[in-house]
Amino acid sequence: MIAEIVTVGTEILLGNIVNTNSAYLAVECANLGLTVYYQSVVGDNEERMKAVIRTALDRSDVVILTGGLGPTEDDLTKEVTAEVMGMPLVEDAHSKERIERYMKEYKKNNSQRRITSNNYKQALIPEGALVLDNHNGTAPGLILEKDGKIAILLPGPPVELKPMFTEEVYPYLRKKQPEIIYSQVVKICGIGESQVAEDIQDMIQAQTNPTIAPYAKIGEVHLRITAKASDEKEGKKLIKPVVRELKRRFGRNIFATEAEKTLEEAVVDMLRDQQLTLALAESCTGGEIAARIVNVPGASQVFTHGFVTYSNRAKRKCLGVKKATLKLEGAVSAKCAKEMAKGGCNAAEADICLSITGLAGPDGGTKETPVGTVFMGCCYNGKVVTREFHFTGNRTKIRQQATAHALAFLRECMMEGISKSE
């Protein structure tokens, strides 16, 4: 079945509220095996809402509308949808009783609040519609079916929408859509999107079910493998050989096969598994690598020190970088990165230390050392390796790329045990 998502609310058009509902519903529709071709946002205007809803019902089997179910005059979703589908509004005694009970309980906590008549607007429902009780607010949800088309009306607040969808709408749509979509993510670091795409071109050209879709993130490439199946067990069976082949092709560049697992979590897990302690010596990233590491619960077991040595003086004082190195080679150099890594290991008495120094811009670059030049060093097992990178973009983008590549470099050094020294 083809589904369409329509979000109602002028406040969303104005940017006052971020539209997270559409993203949530799109994921849930994909999980159900529904195909979503269109998403739209329309303000609280009756004529424009009619046009959007008519168009959506013409081209889609299921239209999911969010927002505009409240008690005020500009809450028009139910009224407009009912008119478009030719379903007159009637009072629903069950909904009215629930609204009264909810309002009386609320009034107990605020004696100045009174129950206004406009709240009962929410008890009017399109005749023949299925009512979805709202356990987290007053506006009930609705499912309207007519002439082979389905309109599902959900409240706008995510705290009301999400449980209603999970408890009521998902089971309803599951019965309508026998197939499900099952997917798994393979996450890759250390190589770029173009290389990954080239390496799986034959798989993409031959694919039918399941399919592979690449997504680029800063410093990472994610491959989503998606299968249509009758149930989760069959979906897993279809995806398993594809994941096995990707592991064969990309090997150690794969850091996760779970959607939730981050690169920093993979690094912390590796440190924990190898019983290593980590120190970081950062310059141009200003502590961003440390920030990502400490986002991981349990990082304190492995991460001991983070040095942010932004100035040359700090590099000398905290990490023991030689004055001659800074004078002759410069702070943005392989030798400085090497001495930072070694000095960080010694100062923190850590098993491994990653260092980073570079030019994030926008100023300070030269022909020999342009903006975006970054050097990294890793000291482990008494050896130090360094690597030179060249990133593009503005200051923020360069720092983000440097942080992501630093985590990948650290992971690579641990896997190799730093087999060679500079």
Side-chain angles (χ1 to χ4, degrees):
M1 287 196 301
I2 298 172
E4 187 159 340
I5 300 166
V6 177
T7 307
V8 179
T10 302
E11 67 278 10
I12 294 174
L13 286 174
L14 295 173
N16 300 133
I17 295 177
V18 177
N19 183 12
T20 60
N21 285 342
S22 288
Y24 167 79
L25 291 170
V27 170
E28 293 302 318
C29 285
N31 291 337
L32 283 160
L34 299 171
T35 302
V36 176
Y37 289 143
Y38 300 98
Q39 293 183 22
S40 56
V41 180
V42 62
D44 303 304
N45 177 278
E46 185 174 352
E47 293 307 313
R48 286 191 285 273
M49 287 174 65
K50 285 180 185 178
V52 168
I53 294 169
R54 283 196 186 103
T55 300
L57 287 169
D58 283 343
R59 65 192 178 192
S60 302
D61 303 304
V62 180
V63 180
I64 304 174
L65 298 106
T66 73
L69 298 183
T72 61
E73 289 186 7
D74 63 346
D75 290 313
L76 299 168
T77 303
K78 174 179 58 185
E79 290 78 5
V80 172
T81 306
E83 182 179 341
V84 170
M85 297 185 74
M87 300 172 71
L89 295 176
V90 295
E91 185 173 272
D92 179 52
H94 172 71
S95 296
K96 184 176 180 180
E97 188 274 331
R98 283 183 58 84
I99 291 167
E100 283 181 338
R101 188 166 66 245
Y102 184 94
M103 299 302 295
K104 286 176 181 177
E105 288 297 318
Y106 192 88
K107 188 177 179 181
K108 288 180 182 178
N109 299 321
N110 188 345
S111 60
Q112 294 182 337
R113 178 164 181 141
R114 60 187 175 86
I115 302 175
T116 56
S117 59
N118 60 358
N119 281 288
Y120 297 113
K121 171 179 179 283
Q122 296 170 111
L124 295 173
I125 70 164
E127 190 171 25
L130 175 63
V131 179
L132 310 177
D133 288 343
N134 188 344
H135 302 292
N136 300 283
T138 56
L142 297 163
I143 297 178
L144 289 65
E145 292 190 38
K146 191 173 181 180
D147 300 329
K149 299 290 186 175
I150 301 169
I152 300 174
L153 281 56
L154 299 172
V159 70
E160 298 177 31
L161 178 145
K162 290 182 179 181
M164 185 180 290
F165 189 93
T166 301
E167 296 163 13
E168 304 279 357
V169 179
Y170 193 99
Y172 168 84
L173 290 174
R174 185 71 183 88
K175 292 177 182 177
K176 298 281 185 181
Q177 177 71 10
E179 276 189 337
I180 68 162
I181 296 289
Y182 182 80
S183 64
Q184 184 174 348
V185 175
V186 172
K187 298 185 177 183
I188 298 168
C189 66
I191 50 180
E193 182 188 19
S194 58
Q195 182 180 338
V196 171
E198 184 176 89
D199 289 347
I200 61 170
Q201 188 62 33
D202 61 315
M203 297 177 71
I204 290 177
Q205 288 177 344
Q207 68 187 9
T208 52
N209 184 33
T211 58
I212 307 172
Y215 300 90
K217 292 191 69 177
I218 294 178
E220 303 174 23
V221 181
H222 296 182
L223 300 176
R224 181 174 291 277
I225 307 99
T226 303
K228 284 189 175 183
S230 58
D231 54 35
E232 186 174 317
K233 184 178 180 181
E234 185 189 353
K236 287 181 178 178
K237 186 178 179 181
L238 288 167
I239 282 174
K240 189 175 181 179
V242 179
V243 174
R244 187 189 305 122
E245 177 61 19
L246 292 173
K247 286 181 176 179
R248 187 189 70 79
R249 296 189 183 198
F250 296 108
R252 295 193 302 181
N253 289 108
I254 295 175
F255 68 87
T257 54
E258 305 89 33
E260 299 79 17
K261 191 163 188 175
T262 63
L263 180 54
E264 52 265 34
E265 285 176 325
V267 168
V268 170
D269 285 347
M270 190 174 289
L271 288 163
R272 191 184 293 116
D273 292 343
Q274 296 186 24
Q275 297 183 317
L276 300 174
T277 55
L278 169 70
L280 295 169
E282 301 184 58
S283 182
C284 60
T285 47
E288 287 190 9
I289 305 170
R292 284 186 60 171
I293 290 289
V294 300
N295 275 339
V296 181
S300 59
Q301 298 172 30
V302 295
F303 181 46
T304 64
H305 290 69
F307 301 95
V308 179
T309 54
Y310 208 63
S311 68
N312 286 355
R313 183 184 179 194
K315 291 178 178 66
R316 289 168 50 201
K317 185 176 180 181
C318 300
L319 302 174
V321 176
K322 296 174 183 175
K323 191 174 183 179
T325 298
L326 295 168
K327 184 177 181 180
L328 299 175
E329 304 285 340
V332 182
S333 64
K335 192 168 184 182
C336 181
K338 180 178 181 180
E339 292 179 10
M340 286 173 67
K342 191 171 183 179
C345 254
N346 293 335
E349 297 182 344
D351 297 311
I352 187 167
C353 179
L354 177 82
S355 68
I356 184 165
T357 179
L359 278 173
D363 304 316
T366 64
K367 187 176 180 179
E368 294 76 21
T369 309
V371 168
T373 302
V374 175
F375 290 90
M376 300 181 196
C378 189
C379 180
Y380 180 36
N381 286 339
K383 298 176 181 178
V384 183
V385 292
T386 60
R387 187 167 295 175
E388 181 177 351
F389 296 84
H390 293 274
F391 303 117
T392 58
N394 61 23
R395 183 179 179 84
T396 298
K397 180 103 180 270
I398 288 170
R399 294 176 70 226
Q400 288 174 342
Q401 291 176 88
T403 298
H405 281 79
L407 290 168
F409 179 47
L410 174 59
R411 178 176 174 272
E412 180 185 329
C413 288
M414 283 190 286
M415 286 191 297
E416 294 182 357
I418 304 194
S419 57
K420 62 181 184 296
S421 60
E422 189 180 65

